[in-house]
């Protein structure tokens, strides 16, 4: 008896080791070497607009009781300068002719203010923005703009906390600057700009803004005061790490890593116009702080003064940018850097910047703000079968100045002929540190019903809210390699693989890239016809010949398309100006004239009240616009006249560089369906939920479902729920979507095959799902160790006995099934004789 127990335990341990080891490498299972993905592993040259870094788009907003505007911004990182001086007696008073100022009245922030900023941040989220915030009482350089008491400043911060605005939009808030007091919110020239007041302000914001969102200070001494150390001790990391509390806080250890710096005198002198007291000590402090927090600001506006020092010189500036992890600049890099050529002389240890040899230092700095990921190698399983596994090994270097601060969710995408599915993965790009190369492995299992053929694999990294099909491109991180970026998917190509027909096809319909994530039944999508306003052709279907609204003699064309909210326009005009300004003009049906233009310096002009929701992006050979219908008095099937897109060069006396006008055009009436046909193979008794997704955002569309051409009157919404499936549920399902405006789209939804394996004999199929795999071996071992919790059906017991030794189900059966999965035996070899 003891011999039998030892034999069983030994077999259980052996099988367990194989089971735990098998998922590590597809190569180990099938003996196939991974193949190179054929990617160009050299860093591309050019600016990449990734979320939460780079050039900020800044918006100045003045707010007062009863009056706060709502904004609908776009940008990779949108920095809001929120002037609340209207609520402060230090601003809303009166000034006599002789310049004497009389205080006004202090007010609490009102509901209009809180609601408007909640709506603005909601728009940021919907538009794919990351947001940064600076609240301030002054935007003109006024002395002492704050309320009459410091308690009222703290009261305003408490109101922001209690409103829930920080918590609700924590997914898209990149950082919050301390701001508030002093001129321009730069914490000098105010009533409460002592270092003690600023330390209290820092602690109030750390308590108001949820972790891990960074809070940035204007000068390093604020951190020192808050932490209870002297400024000269800022480079003593051992001391800082030992601190637990000070007179301002009991949470130094919990919050110190969130504190960064905003520098509004960047490179302006040897002290950055008073930002630093001892540059060496305080940049060493920054080097540690900005591993997990933000450093950025704006270059000094006084270049002549900056030239009195050598701080700005590339040989000094570039190493410091890496040391201090410079994440963002407010769009004003010194133009003189265009006179310097980047070369080996400016190299920094630990990073390969050779791709930029011969480029200007200006371009190098601009393109390396924040993080910048470069694939240096990628290898993938060349082929597998339906339901099989694919492994990708890749190495990636962060050549940017900084680390990625806000977290990003990772996904594996598989795509074939524009149709794709995706699943959560466990890659943490926040670990890809500046000046380092990381090695990564992804293993993912394919659905059993996947189509055979050539498939592409993509890695998608989404900052902020989880990726959705309606906004696949939003807040997605692009790698700095040529040819890997798929704009419509917002994902990076990492390799291709072939799927072959399986002789052992099961009923697992999930795409799985993590054992720790419960992935739902897979669903396929197609966003090829969706318009991504990014200045490039995002997919072959985005702009097609059928969308041409007109052209001119120079063969410049205007393309037009629409959904139920927006008119999208594209023109193939080249970017051949030093300072391009892209103009759009049109007349609506009433003859009202609209003129909107976007300048390369960030200025936007509109000859009506609000351009909220408009977008314009351009590339080397094209410009794209998105116009909400209500902004220009449009609607589907309405006529516009004198539709004109032209580009001027504001750096060359506003010279007209290109121009195309169409006398008349009808706004298209259309929408895109984003779901694509999915093949399901499911067991009888299981349930299937499927939702069709379109770009329709208004009205109440109708949904007409059919199975094998016959209408299903019991289903009248976007979602199908089929419960307790039977063989009779098998078939081809289609849906016709009818918009509120009467536009119809019929699409194939899914093909369903229901199988009943419960009473079918298949040697090795312990869980009766129609195939033999590791899961069957795992179930046997679980059953043997805990029969109260795990169960084998009568048919499962018959299937599980694959040894043929009349001992019933044993651990040896589990080991044999594992050997089938590893390729040592074939299913046809079972049961062993």
């Amino acid at each position: 008896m003891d011999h039998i127990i030892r034999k069983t335990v030994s077999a259980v341990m052996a099988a367990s080791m194989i089971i735990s080891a098998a998922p590590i490498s597809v190569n180990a299972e099938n003996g196939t070497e991974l193949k190179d993905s054929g990617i160009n592993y050299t860093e591309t040259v050019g600016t990449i607009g990734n979320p939460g870094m780079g050039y900020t788009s800044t918006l100045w907003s003045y707010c007062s009781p009863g009056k706060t505007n709502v904004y609908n911004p776009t940008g990779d990182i949108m920095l809001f300068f929120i002037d609340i001086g209207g609520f402060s007696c230090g601003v809303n008073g009166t000034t006599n002719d002789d310049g004497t100022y009389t205080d006004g009245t202090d007010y609490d922030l009102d509901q209009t203010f809180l609601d408007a900023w909640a709506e603005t941040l909601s728009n940021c989220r919907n538009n794919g923005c990351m947001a940064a915030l600076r609240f301030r009482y002054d935007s003109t350089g006024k002395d002492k703009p704050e309320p009459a008491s410091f308690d009222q400043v703290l009261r305003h911060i408490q109101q922001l906390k209690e409103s829930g605005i920080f918590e609700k939009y924590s997914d898209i808030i990149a950082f919050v600057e301390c701001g508030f007091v002093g001129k321009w919110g730069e914490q000098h020239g105010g009533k409460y700009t002592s270092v003690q007041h600023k330390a209290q302000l820092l602690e109030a914001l750390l308590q108001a803004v949820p972790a891990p969102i960074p809070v940035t200070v204007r000068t390093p001494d604020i951190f020192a005061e808050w932490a209870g150390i002297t400024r000269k001790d800022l480079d003593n990391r051992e001391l800082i790490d030992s601190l637990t509390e000070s007179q301002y806080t009991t949470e130094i250890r919990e919050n110190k890593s969130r504190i960064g710096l905003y520098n509004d005198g960047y490179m302006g002198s040897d002290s950055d116009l008073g930002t630093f007291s001892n540059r060496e000590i305080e940049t060493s402090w920054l080097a540690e702080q900005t591993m997990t927090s933000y450093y950025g600001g704006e270059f000094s506006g006084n270049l002549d003064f900056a030239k009195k020092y050598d701080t700005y010189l590339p040989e000094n500036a570039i190493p410091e940018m890496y040391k201090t992890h410079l994440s963002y600049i407010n769009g004003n890099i010194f133009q003189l850097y265009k006179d310097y050529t980047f070369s080996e002389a400016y190299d920094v240890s630990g990073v390969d910047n050779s791709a930029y040899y011969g480029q200007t230092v200006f371009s190098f700095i601009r393109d390396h703000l924040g993080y910048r990921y470069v694939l240096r190698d990628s290898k993938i399983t060349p082929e597998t079968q339906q339901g099989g596994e694919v492994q990708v090994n890749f190495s990636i270097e962060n050549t940017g100045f900084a680390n990625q601060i806000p977290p990003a969710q990772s996904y594996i995408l598989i795509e074939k002929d524009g149709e794709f599915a995706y699943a959560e993965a466990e890659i943490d790009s926040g670990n890809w540190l500046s000046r380092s190369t990381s090695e990564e492995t992804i293993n993912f299992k394919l659905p059993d019903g996947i189509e055979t053929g050539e498939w592409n694999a993509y890695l998608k990294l989404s900052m902020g809210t989880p990726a959705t099909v309606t906004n696949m491109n939003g807040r997605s991180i692009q790698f700095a390699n040529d040819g890997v970026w798929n704009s419509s998917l917002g994902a990076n190509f990492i390799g291709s693989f072939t799927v072959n027909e399986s002789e052992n096809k099961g009923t697992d319909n999930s795409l799985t890239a993590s054992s720790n994530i419960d992935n739902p039944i897979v669903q396929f999508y197609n966003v090829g016809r969706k318009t991504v306003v990014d200045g490039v052709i995002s997919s072959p279907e985005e702009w097609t010949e059928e969308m041409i609204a007109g052209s001119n003699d120079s063969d410049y064309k205007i393309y037009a398309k629409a959904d139920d909210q927006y008119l999208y326009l594209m023109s193939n005009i080249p970017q051949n100006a030093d300072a391009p300004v892209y103009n759009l003009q049109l007349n609506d049906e009433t003859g009202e004239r609209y003129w909107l233009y976007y300048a390369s310096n960030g200025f936007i002009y509109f000859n009506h009240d609000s351009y909220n929701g408009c977008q314009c992006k351009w590339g080397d050979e094209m410009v794209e616009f998105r116009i909400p219908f209500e902004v220009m008095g449009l609607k589907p099937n309405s006529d516009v006249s004198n539709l004109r897109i032209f580009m001027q060069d504001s750096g060359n006396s506003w010279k007209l560089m290109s121009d195309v006008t169409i006398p008349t055009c009808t706004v298209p009436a259309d929408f895109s369906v984003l779901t694509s046909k999915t093949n399901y193979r499911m067991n009888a008794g299981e349930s299937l939920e499927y939702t069709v997704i379109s770009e329709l955002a208004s009205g109440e569309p109708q949904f007409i479902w059919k199975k094998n051409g016959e209408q299903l009157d019991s289903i009248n919404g976007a979602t199908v729920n089929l419960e307790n499936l039977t063989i009779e549920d098998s078939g081809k399902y289609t849906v016709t979507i009818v918009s509120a405006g009467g536009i119809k789209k019929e699409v194939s939804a899914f093909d369903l095959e229901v199988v009943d394996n419960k009473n079918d004999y298949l040697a090795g199929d312990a869980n009766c799902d129609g195939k033999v795999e590791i899961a069957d071996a795992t179930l046997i071992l679980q059953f043997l160790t805990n029969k109260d919790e795990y169960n084998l059906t009568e048919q499962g017991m018959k299937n599980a006995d694959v040894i043929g030794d009349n001992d019933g189900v044993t651990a040896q059966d589990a080991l044999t099934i594992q050997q089938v999965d590893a390729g040592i035996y074939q299913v046809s070899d079972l049961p062993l004789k």
Side-chain angles (χ1 to χ4, degrees), residues 2-129:
D2 180 65
H3 168 74
I4 295 174
I5 293 174
R6 285 199 302 271
K7 177 181 176 182
T8 301
V9 171
S10 176
V12 168
M13 291 176 64
S16 297
M17 287 191 292
I18 296 176
I19 288 171
S20 63
I24 293 175
S25 170
V26 173
N27 186 17
E29 290 183 359
N30 57 30
T32 303
E33 280 191 36
L34 304 185
K35 69 171 183 178
D36 186 85
S37 297
I39 292 167
N40 183 344
Y41 300 117
T42 301
E43 180 177 2
T44 189
V45 172
T47 306
I48 296 175
N50 275 331
M53 48 141 281
Y55 272 3
T56 60
S57 301
T58 54
L59 189 151
W60 292 34
S61 173
Y62 179 76
C63 311
S64 59
K67 183 175 175 54
T68 299
N69 292 329
V70 174
Y71 302 94
N72 202 345
T74 60
D76 303 313
I77 180 166
M78 194 77 202
L79 177 55
F80 293 100
F81 292 128
I82 304 170
D83 187 332
I84 55 175
F87 298 89
S88 170
C89 69
V91 173
N92 62 22
T94 58
T95 303
N96 295 337
D97 292 340
D98 63 0
T100 301
Y101 178 77
T102 301
D103 277 354
T105 304
D106 288 331
Y107 299 97
D108 282 353
L109 303 177
D110 60 11
Q111 200 61 43
T112 299
F113 173 88
L114 298 171
D115 290 345
W117 280 104
E119 188 174 348
T120 292
L121 290 174
S122 177
N123 291 338
C124 280
R125 178 186 283 159
N126 295 335
N127 292 340
C129 294

Side-chain angles (χ1 to χ4, degrees), residues 397-546:
E397 182 179 14
N398 182 356
T399 65
F401 297 140
N403 305 331
Q404 174 197 313
I405 303 303
Q409 176 61 58
S410 62
Y411 302 87
I412 191 74
L413 278 79
I414 57 172
E415 177 270 335
K416 180 176 182 287
D417 300 328
E419 299 181 350
F420 72 95
Y422 64 103
E424 288 187 43
E426 293 183 306
I427 296 294
D428 185 356
S429 54
N431 292 328
W432 300 345
L433 304 182
S434 173
R435 290 195 294 168
S436 70
T437 299
S438 302
E439 305 293 332
E440 298 283 3
T441 294
I442 302 177
N443 290 292
F444 56 95
K445 183 197 168 298
L446 302 174
D448 290 343
I450 189 173
E451 287 188 7
T452 59
E454 188 81 3
W455 286 82
N456 297 316
Y458 291 85
L459 178 62
K460 179 177 180 62
L461 302 170
S462 294
M463 193 174 287
T465 48
T468 63
V469 176
T470 54
N471 191 19
M472 286 299 290
N473 181 267
R475 287 184 297 278
S476 297
I477 295 173
Q478 177 181 350
F479 294 165
N481 297 80
D482 283 333
V484 304
W485 181 242
N486 185 313
S487 183
S488 61
L489 298 178
N492 301 278
F493 174 78
I494 53 175
S496 60
F497 58 94
T498 300
V499 177
N500 299 317
E501 185 81 23
S502 173
E503 297 180 357
N504 185 27
K505 189 182 296 184
T507 55
D508 185 346
N509 294 281
S510 63
L511 172 65
T512 306
S514 169
S515 59
N516 297 319
I517 298 171
D518 185 16
N519 287 283
I521 291 175
V522 74
Q523 189 164 330
F524 280 85
Y525 308 93
N526 191 326
V527 294
R529 292 183 67 87
K530 182 177 174 62
T531 304
V532 179
V533 181
D534 57 1
V536 298
I537 301 293
S538 302
S539 72
E541 297 178 87
E542 184 182 28
W543 296 108
T544 60
E545 295 296 306
E546 67 188 34

